[in-house]
């Protein structure tokens, strides 16, 4: 046996870095995307106007930005709004969204699935069911194929 | 509307001859089979065996009656009919990955091959050497070319690629044709010039098609969208997010209507009014399922196998039982198509008659 088998550092090499034909996504300016306005969202929740809170939370999605903190903040804001809905009101809220916002909502739902907490998954599944009825499997496929997401 | 089940394997690709009496198809193998309609039956009359890899594209030139095929063996063959036998001529494409799609140009003096080598080979016949020669279009393609369509002026070529973009290139070969006159897509058209590139934010572009006039290009991509761009407004792409599974193939049937089909196993009509794309109609006449009384044994068997005792929820009620992979216009061209044909992964071929569909599906209007 040769001595080289002792180290396995070669297994950690990222082969894609050395592939000159590697596809790299185009950089699109994302410095100005700050995510939803949390103050506006909180105000709506306090007033009890949950539909407005949802609309506000889906504004300015941080899709192109590389700043992970902005993305995390946006995600927690949206989650806060989704949790504050009562089960029976979810369907009406989803109906009030337009096509693009339904796709965006789906993206946030799947992002929320990635980091499950206490009861978040059960609540998110209810939202997923209603959003699927409105957006169809097309909205799910768009979440899966999106190169840049929230 | 008629459906014929050719095989159990998927039909990889198909092409029709000029009078639509013969169809050439690849039964997911290294061969191409040609079937002829005799009465009500389809009989296999020729087998084209030359490729050493799966045949991924077939194109049948209607006027000159030549077939070009391309395959995963990185080759293309031009077949000519001589005393009722199809004789192949090898075309060296100079690619190092599989060829994915091939199309004769409208004047049939050249053809284009898209491949996994991230380039398009434009092949034309050089009389002095009695040999097919090819030229490459490389920049700025960054991934496999999945499908191609020619503009009616025989120069421009639309290419859909898995780098998420639909592009229009100039494939002008000065050895075989005159300089082209300006089109709405641009006036300078040297070989390989990029005339248009879509802003790629979606998925792989599975199907691309020019309209009959060539002023519009439509494409379907894997993120479940249908997009159309008009050459008069090149920067604006009208796109529609569909609710169904990704579409794999698309064709124009009039200047304003497209029919697309894909993983949902039925063709769909879309309308483009110059501003946006809207969903038209689902073009399928479902078979009326006979509700037979189910025996207890059958009920529990279904519960065990399919987790449901409702027979209808797992049997597709569409004509095709698996994804549709290719659509082709039969009569009427792209201007006023009256019949089109679809083949799919279920090994079947369906011919759709738009007049019949308009009659049976109340409310269907083709713009």
């Amino acid at each position: 046996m040769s001595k080289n088998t002792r180290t396995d550092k070669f297994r950690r090499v990222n082969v894609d870095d050395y592939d000159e034909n590697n596809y790299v996504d185009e950089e699109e300016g994302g410095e100005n995307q700050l995510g939803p306005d949390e103050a506006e969202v909180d105000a709506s929740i306090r007033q009890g106007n949950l539909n407005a809170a949802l609309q506000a939370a889906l504004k300015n999605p941080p899709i192109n930005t590389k700043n992970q903190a902005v993305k995390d903040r946006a995600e927690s804001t949206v989650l806060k709004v989704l949790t504050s809905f009562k089960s029976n009101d979810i369907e009406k809220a989803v109906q009030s969204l337009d096509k693009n916002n339904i796709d965006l909502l789906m993206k946030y739902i799947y992002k929320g699935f990635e980091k499950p907490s206490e009861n978040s998954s059960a609540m998110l599944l209810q939202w997923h069911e209603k959003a699927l009825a409105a957006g169809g499997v097309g909205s799910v496929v768009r979440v899966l194929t999106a190169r840049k997401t929230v | 509307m008629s459906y014929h089940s050719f095989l159990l394997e998927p039909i990889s690709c198909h092409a029709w001859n000029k009078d639509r009496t013969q169809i050439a198809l690849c039964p997911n193998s290294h061969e191409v089979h040609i079937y002829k309609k005799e009465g009500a039956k389809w009989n296999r009359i020729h087998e084209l065996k030359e490729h050493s890899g799966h045949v991924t594209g077939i194109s049948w030139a209607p006027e000159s009656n030549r077939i070009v095929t391309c395959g995963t063996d990185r080759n293309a063959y031009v077949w000519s009919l001589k005393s009722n036998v199809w004789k192949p001529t090898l075309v060296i494409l100079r690619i190092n990955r599989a060829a994915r799609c091939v199309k004769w140009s409208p004047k049939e003096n050249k053809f284009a091959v898209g491949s996994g080598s991230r380039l398009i080979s434009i092949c034309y016949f050089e009389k002095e050497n009695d040999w097919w020669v090819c030229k490459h279009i490389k920049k700025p393609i960054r991934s496999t070319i999945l499908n191609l369509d020619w503009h009616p002026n025989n120069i421009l070529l639309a290419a859909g690629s898995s780098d998420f973009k639909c592009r229009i290139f100039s494939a002008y070969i000065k050895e075989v044709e005159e300089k082209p006159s300006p089109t709405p897509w641009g006036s300078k058209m040297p070989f390989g010039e990029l005339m248009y590139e879509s802003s790629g934010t979606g998925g792989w572009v599975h199907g691309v098609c020019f309209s009959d006039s060539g002023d519009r290009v439509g494409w379907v991509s894997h993120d479940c969208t249908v997009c159309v761009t008009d050459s008069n407004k090149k920067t604006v792409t009208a796109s529609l997010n569909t609710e169904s599974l990704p579409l794999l193939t698309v064709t124009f049937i009039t200047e304003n209507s497209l029919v697309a089909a894909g993983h949902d196993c039925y063709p769909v009509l879309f309308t483009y009014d110059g501003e946006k794309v809207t969903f038209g109609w689902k073009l399928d006449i479902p078979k009326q399922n006979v509700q037979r009384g189910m025996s207890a044994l059958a009920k529990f068997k279904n519960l065990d196998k399919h987790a449901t005792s409702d027979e209808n929820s797992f049997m597709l009620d569409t004509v095709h039982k698996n994804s549709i992979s290719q659509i082709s216009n039969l009569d009427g061209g792209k201007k006023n198509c009256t019949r089109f044909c679809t083949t799919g992964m279920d090994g079947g071929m369906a011919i759709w008659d738009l007049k019949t569909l308009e009659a049976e599906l109340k409310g269907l209007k083709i713009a």
Side-chain angles (χ1 to χ4, degrees):
Chain A
M1 291 292 265
S2 67
K3 279 201 212 134
N4 281 341
T5 57
R6 218 174 279 177
T7 162
D8 65 352
K9 266 206 223 129
F10 68 89
R11 296 188 191 279
R12 312 252 180 269
V13 169
N14 182 8
V15 206
D16 285 337
D17 287 342
Y18 298 98
D19 179 13
E20 50 196 34
N21 292 334
N22 194 21
Y23 180 83
V24 179
D25 277 305
E26 286 160 10
E27 310 286 323
E28 264 172 61
E31 293 79 18
N32 291 330
Q33 288 183 335
L34 299 166
D37 185 1
E38 282 162 45
E40 190 186 340
V41 173
D42 286 336
S44 300
I45 297 184
R46 253 178 283 123
Q47 283 168 5
N49 190 351
L50 292 176
N51 281 346
L54 183 62
Q55 300 276 2
L58 292 176
K59 275 200 228 154
N60 281 342
I63 292 186
N64 287 329
T65 179
K66 294 224 199 72
N67 188 341
Q68 192 56 36
V70 176
K71 294 198 177 198
D72 289 340
R73 242 200 346 254
E75 172 63 20
S76 50
T77 311
V78 174
L79 233 50
K80 198 166 39 176
V81 177
L82 297 185
T83 336
S84 49
F85 267 84
K86 276 208 279 290
S87 307
N88 297 333
D89 298 332
I90 295 183
E91 187 163 358
K92 233 188 304 178
V94 169
Q95 310 284 14
S96 73
L97 296 175
D98 68 2
K99 286 268 171 196
N100 287 337
N101 276 343
I102 294 185
D103 283 349
L104 189 55
L105 175 65
M106 260 306 187
K107 289 204 171 91
Y108 276 117
I109 292 176
Y110 274 90
K111 191 81 196 294
F113 281 140
E114 283 175 32
K115 295 198 196 82
S117 64
E118 266 298 317
N119 265 328
S120 71
S121 289
M123 175 269 303
L124 282 174
L125 276 171
Q126 286 183 319
W127 276 95
H128 186 275
E129 184 192 349
K130 302 293 182 243
L132 183 64
V137 281
S139 59
V140 177
V141 178
R142 272 186 287 281
V143 174
L144 298 174
T145 57
R147 301 288 291 184
K148 299 187 181 87
T149 179
V150 289
Chain B
M1 177 181 59
S2 63
Y3 178 80
H4 179 90
S5 175
F6 276 104
L7 324 145
L8 289 174
E9 299 93 7
I11 295 179
S12 314
C13 45
H14 75 269
W16 289 88
N17 69 342
K18 180 174 180 184
D19 55 8
R20 313 313 192 198
T21 52
Q22 297 183 24
I23 182 171
L25 51 86
C26 170
N28 200 34
S29 71
H30 302 340
E31 304 173 357
V32 173
H33 295 166
I34 300 188
Y35 286 80
K36 185 171 179 169
K37 185 119 205 241
E38 273 146 18
K41 287 186 3 203
W42 288 92
N43 296 327
R44 190 188 311 179
I45 55 172
H46 291 119
E47 288 180 13
L48 277 49
K49 299 182 202 189
E50 196 75 20
H51 280 281
S52 47
H54 278 243
V55 179
T56 50
I58 308 178
S59 185
W60 199 324
E63 303 304 325
S64 52
N65 204 36
R66 287 176 297 180
I67 298 178
V68 62
T69 58
C70 72
T72 56
D73 57 356
R74 313 187 300 276
N75 289 334
Y77 290 94
V78 175
W79 304 79
S80 308
L81 190 63
K82 292 193 173 66
S83 46
N84 211 31
V85 176
W86 286 97
K87 292 247 156 43
T89 311
L90 172 67
V91 179
I92 306 249
L93 299 170
R94 295 186 283 132
I95 53 180
N96 55 9
R97 292 289 184 278
R100 282 293 254 110
C101 50
V102 63
K103 271 259 172 80
W104 281 108
S105 70
K107 293 213 180 84
E108 298 169 21
N109 49 6
K110 51 185 182 178
F111 60 88
V113 181
S115 67
S117 310
R118 305 131 55 94
L119 50 83
I120 307 174
S121 302
I122 310 288
C123 307
Y124 60 97
F125 195 67
E126 210 169 61
K127 281 225 173 60
E128 302 91 56
N129 297 332
D130 194 24
W131 187 242
W132 287 90
V133 173
C134 80
K135 278 190 169 173
H136 286 167
I137 299 178
K138 274 205 187 128
K139 292 200 161 46
I141 303 170
R142 311 204 19 234
S143 189
T144 308
I145 296 290
L146 293 172
N147 47 74
L148 298 162
D149 193 37
W150 286 93
H151 188 284
N153 74 355
N154 210 54
I155 306 288
L156 297 177
L157 181 67
S161 164
S162 56
D163 63 1
F164 322 118
K165 291 190 199 276
C166 165
R167 298 187 178 89
I168 299 181
F169 290 101
S170 159
Y172 165 62
I173 305 275
K174 63 180 191 300
E175 282 89 344
V176 297
E177 53 205 348
E178 299 292 314
K179 231 180 166 157
S181 41
T183 70
W185 294 106
S187 33
K188 292 196 77 58
M189 289 179 264
F191 179 81
E193 179 82 1
L194 178 67
M195 311 300 289
Y196 169 74
E197 187 181 66
S198 71
S199 53
T201 45
W204 310 312
V205 178
H206 284 300
V208 72
C209 187
F210 268 114
S211 68
D212 179 69
S213 62
D215 289 338
R216 294 177 173 171
V217 67
W219 66 93
V220 286
S221 78
H222 199 72
D223 64 346
C224 311
T225 55
V226 182
C227 303
V228 178
T229 297
D230 195 312
S231 55
N232 301 317
K233 294 180 294 197
K234 268 192 274 192
T235 48
V236 178
T237 301
S239 91
L240 172 70
N241 290 354
T242 67
E243 291 182 3
S244 45
L245 292 176
L247 298 158
L248 291 176
T249 175
V250 66
T251 182
F252 273 90
I253 51 167
T254 66
E255 194 70 16
N256 297 327
S257 305
L258 310 98
V259 170
H263 288 292
D264 270 320
C265 319
Y266 53 78
V268 185
L269 173 75
F270 293 97
T271 317
Y272 176 65
D273 58 3
E275 292 282 323
K276 47 186 180 35
V277 184
T278 44
F279 172 83
W281 213 271
K282 170 181 163 177
L283 298 176
D284 201 291
I285 302 175
K287 272 208 305 274
Q288 296 303 335
N289 282 319
V290 179
Q291 290 286 15
R292 305 185 310 265
M294 268 219 283
S295 67
L297 173 66
K299 240 195 191 125
F300 283 109
K301 211 173 181 188
N302 277 335
L303 256 179
D304 196 26
K305 233 182 178 192
H306 304 278
T308 168
S309 42
D310 176 12
E311 198 180 74
N312 295 335
S313 67
F314 56 81
M315 295 287 286
L316 281 180
D317 64 351
T318 52
V319 171
H320 276 283
K321 297 298 177 208
N322 208 327
S323 313
I324 295 175
S325 54
Q326 192 179 341
I327 202 171
S328 54
N329 297 54
L330 286 181
D331 302 323
K334 290 188 214 162
K335 193 159 182 196
N336 257 319
C337 183
T338 49
R339 290 193 311 160
F340 62 89
C341 159
T342 52
T343 56
M345 312 244 292
D346 56 351
M349 179 228 6
I351 298 184
W352 308 78
D353 187 321
L354 282 162
K355 295 277 168 285
T356 328
L357 282 170
E358 255 179 322
E360 292 204 29
L361 296 168
K362 308 272 185 305
L364 168 65
K365 275 260 162 281
I366 299 179

